[in-house]
């Protein structure tokens, strides 16, 4: 039986980075995808895909419905691990997964050169593993193993 991974990211650069990571896992794991736009489903054909409501800190009131939907998806899929490259919707799914007792991985965006993103800093308080793509930002808690685009 293969491990199941729920791979989550907002559309755009976060999604591109997530695909780079998750595609390498598909041979050995069952990967289920989740993003904030339906057109992302066309990039992961042959895999289950769920649409997640998009929001940001500017419309944070959407966080609560997104959290409860995330709990529903995590409960339904029962992943072994949830991985996200962000942004806010990915963070909410990660927190929902942690509340359900799942292992969680946050991979901070390659764009965050000088410091961890706001969502990455929040995730660092509860995620099972935190990764940065910049060696200079790594420490004993935040691991750096290089960028996913290079």
């Amino acid at each position: 039986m293969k491990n199941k991974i729920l791979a989550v990211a907002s559309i755009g650069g976060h999604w591109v980075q997530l695909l780079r990571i998750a595609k390498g896992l598909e041979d050995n794991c069952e990967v289920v995808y989740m993003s904030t736009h339906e057109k992302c489903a066309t990039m992961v054909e042959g895999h289950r895909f769920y649409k997640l409501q998009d929001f940001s800190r500017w419309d944070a009131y959407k966080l609560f419905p997104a959290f409860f939907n995330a709990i529903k998806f995590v409960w339904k899929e029962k992943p072994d691990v949830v991985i996200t490259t962000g942004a806010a919707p990915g963070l909410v799914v990660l927190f929902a997964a942690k509340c359900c007792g799942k292992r969680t991985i946050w991979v901070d965006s390659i764009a965050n050169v000088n410091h961890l993103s706001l969502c990455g800093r929040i995730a660092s308080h509860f995620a099972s593993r935190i990764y940065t793509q910049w060696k200079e930002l790594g420490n004993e808690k935040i691991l750096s193993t290089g960028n996913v685009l290079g």
Side-chain angles (χ1 to χ4, degrees):
M1 180 188 225
K2 290 183 173 183
N3 284 333
K4 186 187 287 189
I5 296 173
L6 178 58
V8 185
S10 299
I11 192 170
H14 296 287
W15 180 250
V16 171
Q17 290 178 75
L18 181 72
L19 289 180
R20 291 275 178 117
I21 296 166
K23 290 293 183 185
L25 302 171
E26 289 178 356
D27 288 340
N28 298 315
C29 301
E30 177 185 356
V31 182
V32 177
Y33 291 93
M34 182 181 285
S35 188
T36 55
H37 199 285
E38 281 294 333
K39 76 177 177 181
C40 293
T42 64
M43 297 176 219
V44 293
E45 289 181 353
H47 297 274
R48 280 190 308 289
F49 175 86
Y50 296 100
K51 184 181 179 297
L52 179 66
Q53 183 176 11
D54 199 5
F55 66 92
S56 69
R57 68 180 120 182
W58 311 117
D59 54 4
Y61 64 91
K62 294 179 182 177
L63 181 147
F64 295 105
F67 173 75
F68 291 112
N69 280 332
I71 291 273
K72 179 178 78 174
F73 290 128
V74 169
W75 190 258
K76 176 182 177 182
E77 284 296 333
K78 297 178 181 20
D80 297 295
V81 177
V82 175
I83 184 170
T84 185
T85 52
L91 178 67
V92 166
V93 175
L94 207 70
F95 186 69
K98 192 65 169 186
C99 291
C100 292
K102 303 300 179 181
R103 290 181 292 161
T104 56
I105 301 172
W106 175 272
V107 180
D108 212 50
S109 173
I110 196 169
N112 298 307
V113 177
N114 297 318
H115 52 79
L116 226 52
S117 66
L118 173 60
C119 288
R121 291 191 304 269
I122 294 168
S124 72
H125 295 289
F126 67 86
S128 305
R129 292 268 194 269
I130 305 289
Y131 291 93
T132 178
Q133 298 182 57
W134 297 102
K135 180 177 62 171
E136 299 80 10
L137 300 181
N139 60 39
E140 65 281 345
K141 186 175 181 173
I142 301 167
L143 308 172
S144 173
T145 56
N147 74 59
V148 298
L149 299 178

